[in-house]
Amino acid sequence: MIVVLASPRDIGARRLVDVWGAGRARLLTVDDLSRPGWRVHTENPAASRAVVSGEVVEAGELVGVVTRLPAVTAGEIRRIRAQDRDYAASEMSAFLNYWLSVLPCPVLNPPAPSGLCGPGWRPEQWVLTARRLGVPVRPRSRELPPYLPDDGNCGGSPGSRAHGSPSGGAGIQVTVIGDRCIGGEAHGVAGPAKALAAAAGVPMLTTVFEEHGSDVRFVDAHPWTNAFDLRVTDALLDHFERFGAVSVPRSGRSVTR
């Protein structure tokens, strides 16, 4: 069985489960974390149990996990009383970080201290990494709000505004899954996309490039893949089959490892 960890509102996650079939894949949401049946063995993680789509599943049955949830937020929690949700969200995020780290099956992406699906880098961090790798980039700048005396009401938005972010269109998207690249074949950016994934330490990454005159330059990257692209869904299955301990069932039936 493949587990897709995601928000219940994540249409792409449900698309993955639909494409792979309910017998091959299931959705794990925050609601499952507050249901009875979980068991975690710190000395033998393979003997652990999880609750997936409301059912108890042995860790040994999992052939792969796709993580599409960067963190648990209070807004995702519905089965716990409102005054306890902030605390529960923090504890659930910490638990998932550990659980994903010790699973005996491939996880795309493994958690990082800053997020459950890999490093939660800002666009500027991706651009800086690309420049250090020698990849042409679209320049970015960030405008900070003007300094105001601390009178208890700064006014305006507390955030900042980034310039140079993608505007309109999807650009040239290249998805890295393990050692495979999907997209951008005509632009020769598979090498830079793989280099960025390696630099971030993630096996799954969507990179975005754009044409700039006669060149192609890097714009942004994120850990989510296009679940509506059948090339991506097939590549995910192939990755679990190649790097897992068993073959991924193609007939819609789950297997036990």
Side-chain angles (χ1 to χ4, degrees):
M1 177 191 303
I2 299 172
V3 169
V4 181
L5 172 61
S7 164
R9 298 188 293 269
D10 187 340
I11 299 175
R14 295 191 179 278
R15 168 69 175 178
L16 286 176
V17 173
D18 289 343
V19 169
W20 291 335
R24 183 191 302 168
R26 292 184 189 175
L27 186 65
L28 192 162
T29 69
V30 172
D31 286 344
D32 289 314
L33 295 175
S34 56
R35 292 188 171 104
W38 286 86
R39 182 181 69 186
V40 176
H41 284 278
T42 56
E43 296 182 359
N44 184 17
S48 299
R49 291 177 180 171
V51 178
V52 184
S53 294
E55 297 184 15
V56 177
V57 177
E58 300 289 339
E61 294 183 52
L62 306 184
V63 298
V65 177
V66 178
T67 308
R68 294 174 61 93
L69 187 70
V72 179
T73 62
E76 295 283 344
I77 300 174
R78 298 174 294 181
R79 295 171 58 86
I80 296 176
R81 59 184 184 177
Q83 58 265 42
D84 295 331
R85 289 176 185 173
D86 286 334
Y87 173 77
S90 177
E91 291 297 302
M92 287 178 174
S93 292
F95 169 76
L96 284 173
N97 194 299
Y98 170 77
W99 182 70
L100 293 169
S101 299
V102 300
L103 281 177
C105 64
V107 177
L108 299 175
N109 280 322
S114 57
L116 296 176
C117 49
W121 288 1
R122 295 180 181 273
E124 291 85 358
Q125 291 172 281
W126 286 112
V127 169
L128 179 60
T129 301
R131 288 192 63 179
R132 287 173 173 170
L133 293 170
V135 179
V137 301
R138 176 197 283 184
R140 300 185 71 99
S141 64
R142 186 169 288 270
E143 181 180 292
L144 298 176
Y147 171 77
L148 294 174
D150 186 7
D151 60 358
N153 181 14
C154 291
S157 171
S160 56
R161 184 171 68 251
H163 297 282
S165 57
S167 59
I172 304 164
Q173 293 198 18
V174 182
T175 301
V176 178
I177 299 174
D179 58 359
R180 291 186 58 182
C181 277
I182 298 102
E185 293 84 359
H187 298 88
V189 288
K194 287 184 178 180
L196 280 163
V202 293
M204 180 175 69
L205 185 70
T206 296
T207 56
V208 182
F209 297 82
E210 68 174 5
E211 292 183 308
H212 180 64
S214 59
D215 298 324
V216 176
R217 60 185 185 180
F218 172 77
V219 177
D220 203 355
H222 56 81
W224 294 277
T225 58
N226 182 1
F228 294 86
D229 188 334
L230 291 179
R231 298 174 301 168
V232 171
T233 59
D234 287 345
L236 288 168
L237 284 182
D238 290 341
H239 180 86
F240 291 138
E241 186 172 53
R242 293 174 60 193
F243 296 96
V246 297
S247 297
V248 175
R250 302 285 172 162
S251 61
R253 290 170 35 190
S254 60
V255 297
T256 301
R257 295 172 58 188

